[in-house]
Amino acid sequence: MLQEYHSEETALGDTEGFAETLALDKYFRILFDAVPSPVLIVDDDVRILDYNIAGAELLGQDRRLQYMKRGGEALHCVHSYESSEGCGRSEYCGDCIIRNSVSQSLRDGKVCRRRTMMQLVDDQAKSRKEAMLLVTASPFRYEEKNLVLLVLDDISELMQLQKILPICSYCRKIRNDENYWKSVEEYFLTHQNLLFSHSICEPCMREHFPGVSLPENHPPPPSRKR
């Protein structure tokens, strides 16, 4: 079942012009803008009704310029330029994960989460770039309209880390894109802002500190069957 919300003050903005889209009071507006990921409120045609501060980094600060634009047009998806009718109308749009996630979430009435690679047009650089997005579509009902909360997380860097990393066979340092060797800790701190804490695994404890007894409830070392 879709969650339903009502407001007696204002409803959805008129499609003929920009209005205050949703009747979010100050508290919910603060919560909406505090979400660190880009969050868009869209309809069943992925037309943008509102977005949070993180979404403004993708779409621009002036919401009036993006109001009722389809998602692919606002995000500069390359396929939105391939049809005179815009986003969702080209031959490739039938496979669009964003559009299909929105449709599925509305059809099933539950959260839909998928990953997709998008080709985007960079207007300033006049070039194309690829971005790996984790798309989350969560349906809800507002003023008798079925809408979707669309979260777009850029996981390009995370996916890049899942590729094979060149690591030294002896010292376990990782070679970065500039051909410099970095420790595992330094590499992940740079790329994922991860900090490491250090401990000693049980096999190393047995090898390097044989006099130190391990807890009685500690599992025995795995057998090495050939």
Side-chain angles (χ1 to χ4, degrees):
M1 294 292 294
L2 298 182
Q3 292 179 291
E4 187 159 2
Y5 300 88
H6 296 280
S7 171
E8 297 179 357
E9 298 179 1
T10 58
L12 288 173
D14 192 334
T15 56
E16 298 298 322
F18 179 82
E20 184 65 26
T21 305
L22 298 178
L24 298 178
D25 62 25
K26 185 177 180 181
Y27 175 74
F28 286 104
R29 185 80 230 181
I30 291 173
L31 289 180
F32 187 52
D33 285 334
V35 178
S37 299
V39 181
L40 290 63
I41 298 175
V42 301
D43 65 9
D44 59 351
D45 195 22
V46 202
R47 289 178 296 189
I48 297 171
L49 305 176
D50 199 358
Y51 50 85
N52 64 352
I53 289 177
E57 296 180 8
L58 282 177
L59 305 175
Q61 298 297 327
D62 192 344
R63 292 177 175 83
R64 292 173 297 180
L65 298 178
Q66 306 296 348
Y67 180 65
M68 295 304 289
K69 274 188 179 180
R70 299 188 190 103
E73 295 159 359
L75 291 169
H76 302 290
C77 172
V78 295
H79 299 307
S80 67
Y81 296 88
E82 294 173 351
S83 170
S84 59
E85 299 179 51
C87 172
R89 275 59 180 173
S90 79
E91 61 177 309
Y92 298 99
C93 294
D95 297 325
C96 176
I97 295 297
I98 292 179
R99 180 167 291 275
N100 290 340
S101 296
V102 169
S103 299
Q104 181 178 337
S105 70
L106 288 171
R107 182 178 65 250
D108 299 340
K110 60 184 181 181
V111 174
C112 178
R113 181 173 288 116
R114 298 177 180 175
R115 291 185 304 185
T116 183
M117 179 70 75
M118 283 193 69
Q119 285 192 326
L120 308 177
V121 175
D122 189 333
D123 288 335
Q124 295 183 343
K126 298 185 183 302
S127 63
R128 298 185 180 189
K129 62 179 181 179
E130 289 187 338
M132 176 63 75
L133 300 179
L134 175 62
V135 179
T136 304
S138 179
F140 68 99
R141 189 167 175 81
Y142 180 89
E143 298 290 349
E144 300 184 357
K145 294 181 182 292
N146 294 328
L147 303 174
V148 172
L149 206 64
L150 187 64
V151 185
L152 303 176
D153 287 304
D154 188 347
I155 57 172
S156 302
E157 189 172 356
L158 180 61
M159 296 303 296
Q160 186 70 23
L161 286 176
Q162 290 185 355
K163 297 179 180 179
I164 297 176
L165 295 175
I167 186 168
C168 176
S169 301
Y170 294 94
C171 68
R172 300 299 190 230
K173 287 184 178 179
I174 295 175
R175 189 180 68 228
N176 63 16
D177 294 336
E178 288 78 34
N179 278 327
Y180 289 104
W181 291 92
K182 293 186 174 182
S183 67
V184 172
E185 296 90 341
E186 185 181 2
Y187 183 88
F188 279 92
L189 176 61
T190 301
H191 287 79
Q192 285 294 307
N193 197 29
L194 293 177
L195 295 175
F196 284 76
S197 63
H198 292 83
S199 184
I200 303 176
C201 70
E202 290 70 35
C204 287
M205 282 289 293
R206 293 186 177 95
E207 179 181 353
H208 299 286
F209 302 94
V212 178
S213 60
L214 296 174
E216 293 182 359
N217 62 347
H218 199 279
S223 58
R224 299 182 178 180
K225 295 182 179 180
R226 296 186 180 272

